Amino acid sequence: MVRRAVLAVLVLVALALLTISFRSPTSGILHDAQSYGADALRPFQVAAVRVARPFRDAYNYVDGLARAKSENKKLEKMVRDYRAQALLNASAVQQNNDFKKLLQFESGPQYPQDFRAINAAVISFPSGAFSQQVVIDAGSDSGIHLNTPVVSADGLVGKVTQVGHTTSVVTLLTDPNSAVPARDLKTHVSGLIRHGQGGTLILDRVSKDQVVNRGDWIITRGTVDRRYPDEYPYGIPIGRVVAVGTSDIASFLTVQVQPLASISSLDAVAALVPKHPRAKP
Amino acid sequence: MTFADGLKAAALLFVAAIAQVSIFSQLHVFGGVPQVVLVTLVGVSLLRGALVGAVAGFFAGLVIDTAMLGQLGLTSLVLTVSGYWIGRYGETTGRDRGHAPFLSVAVVTFLYAFGVLLVHFMLGEPAPGGAVMRSLLPTIVMNLVLTGPTYLLVRVLLRPRERADYATEVQLLG
């Protein structure tokens, strides 16, 4: 009898917590209490990550050695290509800056020069199919706010969807709820980056009459209308197109994108906070 | 259940929950993730019964939800029911059975996955049934691998109860 009563009470408390948490996920007393709780747990999480790191590094080292030879040839070729491309880009940037000055062109914060990177360790990882979120070791005390874009050294990772005092939750690009306005760097085709199968991404909403090629770079599209500032500044690299397909019954192209950031094995990330926040219109 | 036992169980589940969110959740093998907290809960519930199992499940879920800044109560709800169910099994059919921890882990992993899926579905959140199905088998296998050493550790910390301790309720028939 006592057992059942305790079970009933615990289930009711859990349901009450769930209801309150679901109704106000980013504010309220419960959110504040959870945030303080997360602050208290943070040292334990950091310690656990540090304990596990040597083992993880050892595994990555062995894994890297096994793949190093084949990767080396591929990388050498890529470096040659990029060197040539970098020269062309440098000249284009110079020209672009001159044109902007001539036109007195105004724009929002530019990535990366107008952003301050708040570097943070990842202290909790997504487990299972439901959660594609990580917890990072920095929160509102460091200047992070809701919707702050988060990148790794390779490219876009996601955005902040929950902020505590010293920790934040980052919803990854591979989360089913994630949608990032993006564009093809070469053909200027725009679409929405959503999660795809097996850790890849999909450039969605690209109509069949538009052209996207295999190997094209996909970057964030940035602000389109100043009244609705975009969460992601223009130009953050997202990934590379690995396949483009179409079918008779589908309304849009199926553009599969391989993310640049290795989202499944993040150690540290950088949250991008504007150096000079724009005044609200 | 003595106070010291309660303290040990709480410490054990706390460590398991922290290890789950910070270490084990990185280990993706064929889409599955080992659930050390679930395996530890099975050990505690089998050795200490339904009441302790339910409270332990609630506590472990609360730690996970707090650490992940997730929806408070979600993991607690499913782990509370899981802990209670395993505890009841341990008090009745599973008593003194060598295979009880392994059977419990296999069944509860299955039920836990579908419990979480159901809660997500009822909340109107993405509930990827296909992905859960695909990850289920590797998760069960990894949890079974963890069961032996984890159960042994729990048994060392929480001494199995005496036979007389089990009979808490007697119902006379006829």
Side-chain angles (χ1 to χ4, degrees), chain B residues 5-170:
Chain B
D5 267 3
L7 217 60
K8 278 189 235 173
L12 202 62
L13 283 160
F14 180 80
V15 171
I18 294 295
Q20 180 68 53
V21 296
S22 300
I23 302 171
F24 284 90
S25 51
Q26 293 178 73
L27 304 173
H28 290 257
V29 181
F30 298 115
V33 176
Q35 293 165 324
V36 72
V37 74
L38 202 60
V39 178
T40 311
L41 179 66
V42 166
V44 171
S45 305
L46 281 177
L47 292 167
R48 285 296 177 268
L51 182 63
V52 176
V55 177
F58 184 83
F59 170 71
L62 208 60
V63 174
I64 290 177
D65 287 338
T66 305
M68 291 293 292
L69 282 174
Q71 275 177 346
L72 268 183
L74 197 152
T75 314
S76 288
L77 179 66
V78 187
L79 285 184
T80 300
V81 178
S82 304
Y84 181 82
W85 177 82
I86 304 157
R88 285 299 291 156
Y89 172 68
E91 287 169 343
T92 53
T93 329
R95 193 190 305 177
D96 298 334
R97 302 272 167 90
H99 64 259
F102 297 94
L103 184 67
S104 304
V105 163
V107 175
V108 89
T109 303
F110 183 83
L111 294 178
Y112 176 78
F114 280 94
V116 176
L117 186 71
L118 183 71
V119 177
H120 275 275
F121 178 74
M122 289 175 75
L123 290 173
E125 292 188 341
V132 170
M133 283 298 287
R134 279 193 296 278
S135 66
L136 200 53
L137 191 64
T139 304
I140 290 175
V141 171
M142 280 186 284
N143 284 356
L144 286 174
V145 170
L146 281 177
T147 303
T150 309
Y151 188 68
L152 205 67
L153 177 70
V154 178
R155 251 180 98 94
V156 169
L157 289 173
L158 304 173
R159 189 180 53 82
R161 292 192 294 185
E162 299 295 327
R163 186 164 281 275
D165 295 341
Y166 284 107
T168 52
E169 285 178 22
V170 176

Side-chain angles (χ1 to χ4, degrees), chain A residues 98-117:
Chain A
D98 293 345
F99 289 154
K100 275 184 180 174
K101 274 181 199 160
L102 285 171
L103 292 169
Q104 294 180 325
F105 185 77
E106 275 189 45
S107 65
Q110 302 286 303
Y111 170 80
Q113 64 268 26
D114 294 336
F115 286 86
R116 184 167 59 94

Side-chain angles (χ1 to χ4, degrees), chain A residues 160-198:
Chain A
V160 171
T161 50
Q162 280 269 14
V163 190
H165 301 288
T166 55
T167 56
S168 309
V169 174
V170 178
T171 297
L172 303 172
L173 293 177
T174 45
D175 189 89
N177 287 323
S178 169
V180 182
R183 73 185 302 187
D184 185 315
L185 191 58
K186 198 172 172 187
T187 62
H188 299 178
V189 167
S190 294
L192 274 180
I193 284 287
R194 293 182 188 278
H195 81 294
Q197 293 286 335

